[in-house]
Amino acid sequence: MLWEDSLMQRRRPTIIDVARKAGVSKSTAGRALSGASNVTDEARARVLDAARAVGYERNDLAVGMRSGRTGLLGLVIPDITNPFWAEVARGAQDRAVENEASLLVFSSDWDHSREASHLRALRQARVDGAIINPVADNFDDLDRFGLPFVLIGSSAERFPSTSSVGSDIAQAVRLGMDHLVSKGHHAPALILGPKSRIARARFLRTFHEHCVDRDIDPAALPMEDGEYTVEGGRAAMMRILQRERIGHLAVFAANDLMALGAMVAVREAGLRCPEDVSILGFDGIPAGAFSWPGLTTVAKPGREIGARAVDCLFDEIAGRPEHGRVFMPCRLVKRGSLADLSLNQPRRAASSGRG
């Protein structure tokens, strides 16, 4: 008996171990553990006590494979180090747990081959479905995925016939620009993401519409590209500061990490925010509340996007794919990084390229 107990400690206990410990048949142990009604209370108690004694845990994956469901969901995001995507993952995880499901999270690092590898891994893990921020421009990998999926992020715009969840970028950019104008910043400089990202195109399209509505030439305004990182924003801000300018400079950055990097560049140049340079961010990551000054930003609903995507995925799994593209509104978070020039500037600035 001691030898059997020692052997059991070196491997995962099985239902046979539970049955042996309880003194019942394997089928009786299985019925007791599954909650079946055709088991006496006395036998059920013995089986449950035995399961605790031997450390038995039901193999939900094996049970799910027999039933056609594993209770596993996949999430493929582009950058797990970006706090915004961490918020999306947290929202998705919380909603999955509420529905007694587990979430496997992968980061593609904006790499097509890595994304394809993650999709293969999720397929091999027999997940019930996946939430994906697609990196590739074509549907090949998603077609081969062969399981229910929902897209998230701006990249989903490339696949309009597929269920997807994302921020309302147009509403968000208009919200930010209207706030800049209300503070006297009629012609801000822009710090944008790489040209290869569709989020950049959507941001820029709405910005151009805003400028045209106010008779401002967007081509005359300073614009710099960079990676969606602190260092990307710092480098882009340094290039903007090297341009000739007059008076106060306002900058609208395409994400908060870039905005925080721009703040670093302003300090390194011996300038002050917001006295010399006003900065508006985009995303609403928690770090913006702890910068100095606090970062005024347009906050995207990261957790809500993750949770809503899980809801949509469960509907896809159940055969109810009726969502289309879900746009979630953003909100303005006011802090201290914007100077208020509305009282001492003309209501409309000339489109001369100044900030």
Side-chain angles (χ1 to χ4, degrees), residues 210-246:
H210 180 278
C211 289
V212 170
D213 288 344
R214 287 160 178 77
D215 198 24
I216 296 172
D217 180 8
L221 305 181
M223 296 183 190
E224 291 289 344
D225 299 338
E227 294 297 325
Y228 288 118
T229 62
V230 171
E231 181 53 35
R234 175 185 171 276
M237 187 75 239
M238 292 296 289
R239 293 193 295 272
I240 290 175
L241 291 174
Q242 290 169 1
R243 299 186 182 205
E244 183 178 351
R245 65 186 188 281
I246 301 173

Side-chain angles (χ1 to χ4, degrees), residues 27-56:
S27 59
T28 298
R31 290 197 301 275
L33 291 170
S34 66
S37 59
N38 57 339
V39 179
T40 66
D41 292 341
E42 186 269 339
R44 190 186 310 279
R46 283 164 51 198
V47 169
L48 295 178
D49 288 343
R52 284 191 291 269
V54 303
Y56 173 80

